[in-house]
Amino acid sequence: MVATTGAEATELLSAPAEKVHRVLLFGPCSMTTGAQAHCARTRTPVFLLSSGGRLLGRVEPEGYADARVETQQLRKADDPAAATEVARVVVRAKIRNQVALLSRHLANPDRRPDRAADVRRLAQEALSAAAATADAHDVETVRGLEGTAARAYFEALALLVRPAELRFAGRSRRPPADPFNAVLSLGYTLLYHQQHAFARAHRLHPYVGFLHAVSPGHAALASDLVEEFRCVVDALALGLVNRRELRTEHFENVAGGGVWLNAEGRRVFFAAFEGVMRRPYLHRVHKKQYPYRLCLDLQARAMARWVRGEDRYRPFVWR
């Protein structure tokens, strides 16, 4: 597949079609009908996004739906005990993965923050919330504990951001209020689209979740599947900002008070993100090394097995 620009169709890049896993169209750009047909044949999803990364729509091929699996999924979602069971597992794994990121920085003298004691205290608060999920008897309680952990975690994460001009005071979105939040939002958005596609590939209904409430236009299951991998985006964002690969000139203010990555900033981020997705990782459940992108797929597959009653859901563990 070839990307071009301008009236003279100047080639920007070329990639073997078999290596294209998804297509993201940001802002005013388009695809030829031939490219669209190829994506339909190869089940490659195409996502249409605004310049800031907001999803406008997607194009998917036919043949993903399986009413039998979706019926099982709906029954699980309507069963409070089953939904709470998987919500506890997902949230506990998410929090522990995030704390692992904090611990990694505390253990490295070159990255240890000045307020290390505060980071340790906040990490412990998050871990306490993770432990409390064991006694949660409904999804709403699990969500409350997740919120408690998130407040402590993002306060600690803010202490790890070194450039003063890119510091952030906590998580904000829709729109992101500062550059670091802009990076987090774009990374989480890419994970969300990827897990939406993997959920569909495994015959799951992306809009029927267990942890996240069902609401119009929100792929709740895709959001569920993202949670365990947020730490990967957080680590990437920290690295890009602290190494100054992303700087103030890579961002722009937009109407409504938000901040987005500009075209050059997105280029830097996408290159780094794809590098991470191709990076091998020792999967703790399968005891093998897989690229991160395949790890995403494995979790969607694990969720499908749980929905079908074939196995308990075992989360992604990041170290």
Side-chain angles (χ1 to χ4, degrees), residues 145-184:
L145 292 167
E146 180 190 26
T148 298
R151 285 189 291 273
Y153 169 70
F154 281 113
E155 185 177 344
L157 189 66
L159 298 175
L160 303 183
V161 180
R162 292 198 292 270
E165 68 276 14
L166 293 180
R167 288 191 180 277
F168 79 123
R171 183 74 179 114
S172 65
R173 54 182 184 154
R174 295 179 186 159
D178 54 66
F180 195 80
N181 270 297
V183 180
L184 294 182

Side-chain angles (χ1 to χ4, degrees), residues 102 117-127 152-153 155-156 159:
L102 301 178
D118 289 330
V119 175
R120 291 190 183 92
R121 172 181 57 80
L122 293 164
Q124 189 55 55
E125 288 181 21
L127 284 176
Y153 169 70
E155 185 177 344
L159 298 175

Side-chain angles (χ1 to χ4, degrees), residues 90-293:
V90 168
V91 168
R92 191 180 303 124
K94 170 191 176 178
I95 297 170
R96 290 177 175 172
N97 288 348
Q98 290 174 328
V99 170
L101 170 60
L102 301 178
S103 299
R104 179 179 293 187
H105 279 257
L106 289 172
N108 188 326
D110 296 330
R111 296 187 293 183
R112 189 180 299 139
D114 295 334
R115 295 170 58 188
D118 289 330
V119 175
R120 291 190 183 92
R121 172 181 57 80
L122 293 164
Q124 189 55 55
E125 288 181 21
L127 284 176
S128 295
T133 61
D135 299 319
H137 297 297
D138 55 70
V139 174
E140 196 60 39
T141 301
V142 176
R143 291 178 188 145
L145 292 167
E146 180 190 26
T148 298
R151 285 189 291 273
Y153 169 70
F154 281 113
E155 185 177 344
L157 189 66
L159 298 175
L160 303 183
V161 180
R162 292 198 292 270
E165 68 276 14
L166 293 180
R167 288 191 180 277
F168 79 123
R171 183 74 179 114
S172 65
R173 54 182 184 154
R174 295 179 186 159
D178 54 66
F180 195 80
N181 270 297
V183 180
L184 294 182
S185 290
L186 182 54
Y188 296 160
T189 295
L190 295 181
L191 289 181
Y192 173 83
H193 297 330
Q194 184 68 83
Q195 290 298 55
H196 186 288
F198 282 142
R200 295 283 286 164
H202 292 291
R203 306 299 188 263
L204 295 168
H205 197 308
Y207 289 82
V208 179
F210 306 101
L211 170 63
H212 290 84
V214 174
S215 61
H218 175 222
L221 182 65
S223 290
D224 288 356
L225 291 168
V226 163
E227 296 298 348
E228 298 155 39
F229 293 92
R230 289 185 185 271
C231 59
V232 178
V233 169
D234 299 345
L236 174 61
L238 275 175
L240 290 173
V241 167
N242 286 344
R243 293 191 302 268
R244 299 186 183 275
E245 294 176 38
L246 284 176
R247 301 176 297 279
T248 53
E249 59 264 31
H250 290 124
F251 300 89
E252 59 186 15
N253 296 319
V254 296
V259 178
W260 290 345
L261 282 154
N262 60 25
E264 178 60 20
R266 291 196 299 271
R267 186 194 65 77
V268 172
F269 180 81
F270 289 150
F273 183 86
E274 286 304 313
V276 169
M277 288 296 102
R278 292 193 296 267
R279 186 181 304 162
Y281 178 81
L282 179 61
H283 199 286
R284 306 298 174 178
V285 173
H286 296 275
K287 310 299 182 185
K288 292 182 180 179
Q289 283 199 333
Y290 298 108
Y292 269 113
R293 179 167 282 112

